[in-house]
Amino acid sequence: MTKESNSSTAGDIVPGRAEFIWKGPLYKKTALPAMYYGLLVVIGLVLGGLFYWINQPLSMIVVAAALLFFLTHAPDVPKALRYTIDAAGIGIEEVRYPYDRLKSFWIAEHATGLTLYVERLERFSFPLSIPLESANVVGIRSLLRQHLPESKSRGELLTDVINRVSGLS
C-alpha cells in the first residue's frame, strides 16, 4: 500500500503520521489573451527594425531569439509534481530537503493562490516555491513551525512576479 492511498483527500494529514502528500503544478499558469502574442510580435518587430536601422545585427539576433523563446514557451503547460512534507523534511518528487538544510519558510498569497516558500541554507540557491492549491495549509504551517522559523514579513518572490506578469507561468 502506498502512502498516497492512505490519504483521504489531497493535502490532508496521513493518519498515524505527521505527513502531508499532494500533487500540484510545477508553477502557476495564468491564461494568456490572444493579444499577448500579437503584442510580443509587434514589440519584436519594432525592436528588430530599430536595431536594423542603427546597424546592430547582433542585437537583432538577440531580439529574434528572445521573441522565439517567449512565443514557444508561453503556451507550455506545467508538469504535475508530488509534494511531501513530513517530520524528516520536504520532498519534491524524488528530491528530499531535510530540515537541517533549510533556513526558514513563509506562505505568500497572490492572485493565483497560496505558495509556500522555503529558504535553503546553501549560499547561492533560490528558495523552494511550492504551490499550495489543494493542500491543508493550516496543518502544513503547524508542522513546519515545529522544525523551521516562519518569516512573516516576506511575500512573493520577484522572480515569481516577473514570470507571472510576462506570461511564462
Side-chain angles (χ1 to χ4, degrees):
M1 189 185 304
T2 65
K3 289 181 184 176
E4 276 190 63
S5 63
N6 289 339
S7 181
S8 58
T9 61
D12 283 344
I13 195 160
V14 176
R17 292 183 224 130
E19 183 174 79
F20 295 89
I21 301 171
W22 75 98
K23 284 195 177 262
L26 177 61
Y27 55 89
K28 295 283 190 175
K29 180 69 177 171
T30 54
L32 299 172
M35 190 177 91
Y36 175 84
Y37 299 104
L39 187 61
L40 275 178
V41 170
V42 168
I43 290 171
L45 290 174
V46 167
L47 285 175
L50 175 70
F51 290 132
Y52 178 78
W53 184 58
I54 62 174
N55 198 20
Q56 293 291 327
L58 186 58
S59 299
M60 286 174 39
I61 292 171
V62 169
V63 167
L67 180 64
L68 185 65
F69 174 81
F70 276 99
L71 289 176
T72 57
H73 289 290
D76 286 351
V77 176
K79 185 172 93 170
L81 298 178
R82 181 176 179 264
Y83 297 103
T84 308
I85 298 178
D86 56 24
I90 297 173
I92 302 173
E93 287 292 315
E94 302 300 321
V95 180
R96 295 290 300 168
Y97 298 95
Y99 291 119
D100 61 351
R101 291 181 36 211
L102 303 174
K103 187 176 182 180
S104 64
F105 79 96
W106 68 97
I107 296 175
E109 185 176 357
H110 42 84
T112 57
L114 293 173
T115 301
L116 168 67
Y117 294 102
V118 182
E119 192 171 14
R120 297 184 277 176
L121 287 174
E122 286 87 18
R123 181 171 288 214
F124 298 110
S125 63
F126 286 107
L128 301 174
S129 177
I130 302 171
L132 294 174
E133 58 187 25
S134 66
N136 180 347
V137 178
V138 175
I140 288 172
R141 177 179 273 140
S142 65
L143 177 62
L144 287 175
R145 280 183 180 162
Q146 296 172 9
H147 303 282
L148 297 171
E150 182 176 8
S151 300
K152 296 217 181 243
S153 62
R154 297 183 71 173
E156 186 177 14
L157 293 177
L158 179 61
T159 52
D160 286 351
V161 172
I162 291 170
N163 284 337
R164 188 168 31 85
V165 169
S166 69
L168 292 177
S169 72

